[in-house]
Amino acid sequence: MTTFDDREKAFENKFAHDAELKFKAEARRNKLLGLWAAGLLGHRDEAAEAYAQTVIIADLEEPGEEDVLEKLTRDLEGKVDRGAIREKMTALMLQVAEEVSPTVP
């Protein structure tokens, strides 16, 4: 292999790794978001976990996070507005990013 081929392969591997990390981070964020919403809806224990799974699954419907936002907006109508949901999504994504990013010494 040439140096160019090696660099191309390394780039492809990094891209795949980054995409996998992003997917896992979004799934983790959605679970935490689902647990937060479940609490607002009065769900506890297994019911809260089951609801969180529906939020994770909702994210698989369309690319992006709008499908999750739409689900939560419908489910939390009268309890929390869309802006508060969006803020919680952002805050949880920042939290999850800190959890999964490697620390640099």
Side-chain angles (χ1 to χ4, degrees):
M1 277 192 161
T2 66
T3 302
F4 180 77
D5 290 336
D6 291 342
R7 289 178 62 194
E8 182 179 20
K9 184 77 170 164
F11 180 76
E12 289 172 358
N13 288 341
K14 182 179 180 344
F15 181 81
H17 181 265
D18 289 350
E20 182 180 353
L21 280 179
K22 183 177 185 255
F23 177 80
K24 287 179 180 180
E26 288 173 351
R28 173 79 176 136
R29 186 253 345 248
N30 290 339
K31 180 176 182 178
L32 294 174
L33 192 60
L35 292 173
W36 169 75
L40 294 174
L41 294 168
H43 301 309
R44 301 286 179 254
D45 304 321
E46 293 85 21
E49 288 289 335
Y51 181 79
Q53 288 299 313
T54 68
V55 175
I56 293 168
I57 291 168
D59 193 28
L60 302 176
E61 292 175 9
E62 298 174 11
E65 58 187 27
E66 289 301 311
D67 41 5
V68 171
L69 184 60
E70 289 299 322
K71 176 186 179 24
L72 292 173
T73 300
R74 281 191 313 272
D75 293 353
L76 297 174
E77 187 175 354
K79 296 186 183 316
V80 179
D81 69 16
R82 188 178 183 91
I85 296 167
R86 171 91 53 205
E87 287 176 17
K88 189 66 172 180
M89 289 175 81
T90 301
L92 288 173
M93 195 64 206
L94 291 172
Q95 175 187 328
V96 169
E98 288 178 9
E99 292 172 1
V100 300
S101 68
T103 57
V104 179

